[in-house]
Amino acid sequence: MRNPQLNAQGELQHLLTIEGLPAAIIRQILDTAEPFVSIAEREVKKVPLLRGKSIFNLFFENSTRTRTTFEIAAKRLSADVINLNVGASSTAKGETLLDTVNNLSAMLADMFVVRHAQSGAAHLIAQHVAPHIHVINAGDGRHAHPTQGLLDMFTIRHYKGDFTRLVVAIVGDVLHSRVARSQIHALTTLGVPELRVIAPKTLLPTAVERLGVRVFHDLAQGLRGADVVIMLRLQSERMRGALLPSAQEYFKHYGLTPERLEVANPDVIVMHPGPMNRGVEIDSAVADGSHSVILPQVTFGIAVRMAVMAILAGN
Ligand code: CP
């Protein structure tokens, strides 16, 4: 069966998920992003690659980093950016998602960037839009957040180089995390030999090992020798019922402190997709410490999102 995000030539038509995305396309995105990083250092932070294109940001869920960096990325590519104010849109009057998209398509949209609480929302839109329109998933339910996964890969490659010798540990609420799923698919596709998830049983999907990860329930054991540690937020908004005794109890067992990080490699990098809950999954001394690359992740996100939009517009 043809991958719904690739065109007949095997090129990227939409970016919906990292699952099933060929390693060559992931590398193409990371390589394309490299020169875009330096555009931020220019006096005029713009290139004309998307001049005349209209990009619609449709965020049906809250966002600080993703929405803003998509907007910056599109503007740096010289596109016209339209941010739909969902709260003030006709969605609030009962218009369906596809009717909203059809109406925006009639305004000659070239690309939709979509965040939605419902898994599969971006997929649905991609199935319905005209062939010249591209769709980017900016996070759908628990399913996928591909540009976050890609910017995380860019960050890891920037600091560590080769993926094929790394020990990577993902810590926390994997069960509810679309980011963790995208990271796991990207890291396995890029050949990371030792990928660990560290969490209580209640915060792991059933049969998570089938995704190619080693499971640890003890933080110290899972962090031992790690080159990269990725912390995840407790996604209380997606939890049905109490999966943990309390946030304090969680921090006691799974919160990352400088002392707990000592068992990792001395040059370990600590990542977090944000938003961070200080004192719940991560201590401020780590979040703001010398191993943290959390803010560079955000900056690299602009270049990676520019790369995704530039590649789509060229296909
Ligand atoms: N990492 C991430 O998706 O952050 P936002 O929710 O702020 O976009």
Side-chain angles (χ1 to χ4, degrees), residues 82 91 96 111:
I82 299 95
T91 307
T96 67
M111 213 176 278

Side-chain angles (χ1 to χ4, degrees), residues 59 62-67 115 138 145 148 178-179 273-275 305:
F59 278 66
N62 294 345
S63 170
T64 297
R65 283 146 285 267
T66 312
R67 200 201 64 75
R115 170 168 289 191
H145 193 350
Q148 179 69 45
R178 56 195 175 206
V179 172
R305 289 176 173 127

Side-chain angles (χ1 to χ4, degrees), residues 8-220:
Q9 290 73 45
E11 301 163 330
L12 203 63
Q13 170 71 15
H14 306 289
L15 180 63
L16 306 175
T17 173
I18 295 180
E19 188 175 4
L21 206 58
I25 290 191
I26 298 179
R27 288 200 196 95
Q28 180 198 10
I29 295 168
L30 303 187
D31 293 346
T32 305
E34 291 285 357
F36 288 144
V37 173
S38 59
I39 286 176
E41 289 148 23
R42 295 190 198 162
E43 200 174 309
V44 179
K45 300 179 180 58
K46 266 190 194 294
V47 288
L49 286 173
L50 264 65
R51 192 157 54 194
K53 302 282 185 198
S54 297
I55 299 185
F56 283 69
N57 277 332
L58 313 183
F59 278 66
F60 295 89
E61 236 191 21
N62 294 345
S63 170
T64 297
R65 283 146 285 267
T66 312
R67 200 201 64 75
T68 313
T69 53
F70 262 115
E71 182 171 349
I72 296 169
K75 286 180 171 166
R76 287 201 181 154
L77 292 168
S78 308
D80 296 318
V81 186
I82 299 95
N83 292 306
L84 186 74
N85 182 351
V86 171
S89 75
S90 292
T91 307
K93 299 180 195 162
E95 185 172 72
T96 67
L97 178 61
L98 289 181
D99 276 334
T100 301
V101 167
N102 285 339
N103 279 273
L104 299 176
S105 299
M107 300 174 203
L108 305 182
D110 294 293
M111 213 176 278
F112 290 114
V113 179
V114 184
R115 170 168 289 191
H116 205 286
Q118 207 67 46
S119 294
H123 234 95
L124 180 74
I125 294 171
Q127 282 170 339
H128 282 81
V129 291
H132 70 276
I133 298 179
H134 304 282
V135 179
I136 302 174
N137 182 3
D140 62 330
R142 297 184 192 186
H143 171 237
H145 193 350
T147 56
Q148 179 69 45
L150 290 165
L151 77 87
D152 293 335
M153 296 312 108
F154 188 93
T155 307
I156 293 172
R157 195 172 80 162
H158 179 85
Y159 288 101
K160 296 291 173 188
D162 186 10
F163 286 95
T164 62
R165 277 197 276 266
L166 294 179
V167 176
V168 179
I170 301 175
V171 187
D173 185 0
V174 179
L175 179 65
H176 300 97
S177 175
R178 56 195 175 206
V179 172
R181 280 171 186 70
S182 291
Q183 290 166 338
I184 290 169
H185 290 306
L187 290 163
T188 51
T189 303
L190 293 171
V192 166
E194 171 87 359
L195 178 52
R196 305 171 179 171
V197 292
I198 310 169
K201 282 195 178 96
T202 50
L203 293 182
L204 287 173
T206 37
V208 67
E209 301 88 346
R210 285 193 207 144
L211 296 175
V213 299
R214 277 184 74 191
V215 174
F216 291 80
H217 301 300
D218 181 83
L219 184 62

